[in-house]
Amino acid sequence: MTLPSKLPDVGLTIFSVMSQLAAEHRAINLSQGYPDFDVSPALIDRVVHYMRQGCNQYAPMTGVPALRKAIADKAAALYDAVYDPETEVTVTSGATEALYAAITAVVRPGDDVVIVEPAYDAYEPAVRLNGGRAVFVPMTFPGYRMDWEQVRQALSDRTRLLILNSPHNPTGSVFTAEDIAQLKTLVAGSDFFILSDEVYEHIVFDGRRHASMARDPELRRRSFVVSSFGKTYHATGWKIGYCLAPAPLSAELRKVHQYLTFASNTPIQMALADYLARHEDHLGLSDFYQEKRDLFASLLGPSRFRPLPCEGTYFQMVDYAVISDEPDTVFARRMTIDHGVAAIPPSVFYHQGNDHRVLRFCFAKNDATLKEAAEALCRI
Ligand SMILES: Cc1ncc(COP(=O)(O)O)c(C=O)c1O
């Protein structure tokens, strides 16, 4: 039997393709965005503790109460935002599940969803599977800033949802206070929702402050704010995330979550609940990654690659225009095979590709790995 595909143009993600190529050619893998660092032994001890205590059955559908409370406390402390842990905080199996559940809860056939490009690859297929239509708005190039006038032009009475992401993957750009002011002007008098992907909320550089949708009451009332413990605790494989949203929005998200995964990993939720109070772990992350960013950029100094501004996340966009005129997909492949370093070609984050000569490197790696990679890049 054959099955007519609901996503005929979707293949293996670029992350799998580049990681596979890196493995085949024994290249240093700076493509996929996962950290090289160990999870804190204290956090692992808590997980083991709860497993041995017998906390191995289904968690409550909405999440372990202590973790929901700890998440609400964090939102209050960092963003001055009051979320009720009972009705407005939902623990999910990674941010990916929260994004899918939010999109499914909101989008109906015929709805438009505005997506800013370059865009993380999970958004658009979820919109399409729910019968929605993605309307793409590019960031400026090469500055990678929001173009709010273009966003305004993309809005119509069919718009149900605007998907935002700051700190931004892949560009590393971060919303400013001016972005938030422009967004507030844009939403005034409208009734679309916002899905705000904030998984890199704790990785912002040079004294910037993360502009969470939770911080502003006007934006908060229409927003699903999604985050993930994977990025924060070097534990992307644990797949625990969460969504903050006002009670009526959370109620609809939970209806989807209930039948998508029902509940997420119990002992890890219990451990994270204990651990979240240790603010030094998430609040020290910006400094930790800022040093990595600066090290990688300085190691690239003698090379012909030109690092672009990076304000947050653990991704560095790098211009290679003086080295090659090849499209980024071709150059990234050749760099992996011939020079032993894998990166992501950002054109795949655009629905129609582009002709920018830029690659995305993940610098969430040990210094020795970054040095080895940079030495290879300096030889190109
Ligand atoms: C922007 C963005 N959103 C969501 C995710 C997925 O997060 P999780 O691993 O918690 O599902 C990622 C992971 O790379 C990401 O970069």
Side-chain angles (χ1 to χ4, degrees):
M1 285 176 77
T2 56
L3 174 65
S5 178
K6 292 175 91 172
L7 296 169
D9 52 337
V10 169
L12 261 192
T13 73
I14 189 67
F15 311 110
S16 309
V17 171
M18 292 312 298
S19 290
Q20 221 167 301
L21 196 67
E24 267 168 41
H25 294 273
R26 297 176 180 277
I28 302 167
N29 189 0
L30 302 190
S31 62
Q32 204 168 358
Y34 60 84
D36 232 3
F37 320 112
D38 289 335
V39 174
S40 150
L43 178 54
I44 290 181
D45 283 349
R46 296 315 289 162
V47 176
V48 173
H49 166 79
Y50 285 115
M51 281 183 167
R52 292 204 195 286
Q53 290 267 307
C55 303
N56 298 306
Q57 308 310 325
Y58 293 127
M61 183 272 281
T62 57
V64 163
L67 181 56
R68 280 187 279 117
K69 163 122 186 10
I71 293 168
D73 288 348
K74 186 182 80 158
L78 293 185
Y79 308 129
D80 204 14
V82 178
Y83 285 100
D84 180 345
E86 272 309 301
T87 56
E88 302 186 313
V89 181
T90 309
V91 179
T92 58
S93 298
T96 308
E97 196 226 338
L99 294 167
Y100 193 88
I103 290 168
T104 303
V106 173
V107 177
R108 300 166 302 191
D111 285 342
D112 278 0
V113 177
V114 176
I115 297 179
V116 181
E117 286 187 319
Y120 184 62
D121 65 343
Y123 311 144
E124 193 270 345
V127 170
R128 229 183 324 151
L129 285 170
N130 283 287
R133 186 179 73 121
V135 179
F136 294 99
V137 175
M139 286 176 136
T140 62
F141 182 78
Y144 295 121
R145 305 249 51 105
M146 292 292 296
D147 183 338
W148 292 107
E149 179 49 29
Q150 283 222 41
V151 177
R152 195 185 61 71
Q153 286 172 20
L155 298 172
S156 72
D157 53 11
R158 293 225 306 267
T159 308
R160 277 288 277 176
L161 187 65
L162 167 63
I163 304 182
L164 298 173
N165 169 216
S166 175
H168 185 256
N169 177 10
T171 68
S173 82
V174 167
F175 281 176
T176 60
E178 174 60 20
D179 284 316
I180 297 298
Q182 299 247 23
L183 175 59
K184 283 179 70 173
T185 311
L186 204 75
V187 302
S190 69
D191 62 357
F192 61 85
F193 297 94
I194 293 173
L195 173 54
S196 184
D197 181 345
E198 303 184 10
V199 300
Y200 299 101
E201 64 180 320
H202 299 302
I203 313 178
V204 286
F205 306 138
D206 307 312
R208 286 182 178 78
R209 188 171 90 145
H210 168 55
S212 176
M213 294 302 132
R215 203 188 287 278
D216 182 273
E218 199 39 49
L219 297 174
R220 188 191 317 151
R221 53 182 277 272
R222 63 175 74 224
S223 292
F224 296 82
V225 177
V226 168
S227 194
S228 170
F229 294 106
K231 314 292 173 186
T232 306
Y233 295 121
H234 311 319
T236 56
W238 288 5
K239 295 298 290 186
I240 302 285
Y242 59 89
C243 180
L244 305 172
L249 278 58
S250 286
E252 293 307 312
L253 173 121
R254 287 171 172 191
K255 288 179 191 172
V256 180
H257 165 71
Q258 174 160 255
Y259 296 116
L260 198 52
T261 57
F262 180 69
S264 303
N265 186 304
T266 309
I268 294 180
Q269 286 195 61
M270 310 275 291
L272 285 167
D274 290 351
Y275 208 68
L276 213 53
R278 289 176 48 142
H279 296 301
E280 69 274 15
D281 283 291
H282 54 264
L283 298 182
L285 214 56
S286 291
D287 290 345
F288 175 77
Y289 277 122
Q290 187 169 320
E291 275 181 29
K292 295 276 174 199
R293 177 200 65 173
D294 293 346
L295 173 68
F296 189 52
S298 74
L299 290 168
L300 286 183
S303 79
R304 292 191 293 157
F305 290 94
R306 190 170 60 86
L308 301 179
C310 169
E311 302 170 339
T313 75
Y314 45 54
F315 300 114
Q316 176 67 64
M317 296 285 261
V318 173
D319 183 311
Y320 64 87
V322 300
I323 300 175
S324 167
D325 197 33
E326 289 163 296
D328 62 356
T329 46
V330 175
F331 185 65
R333 225 188 127 71
R334 197 165 66 74
M335 205 177 70
T336 310
I337 297 170
D338 295 351
H339 301 283
V341 183
I344 293 288
S347 64
V348 302
F349 292 82
Y350 291 80
H351 74 292
Q352 288 181 319
N354 63 36
D355 60 0
H356 305 160
R357 301 296 178 248
V358 175
L359 292 176
R360 187 201 81 175
F361 292 89
C362 171
F363 56 78
K365 307 292 167 191
N366 290 310
D367 290 0
T369 306
L370 293 177
K371 281 182 190 146
E372 203 187 332
E375 275 165 24
L377 295 173
C378 284
R379 288 193 290 269
I380 300 177

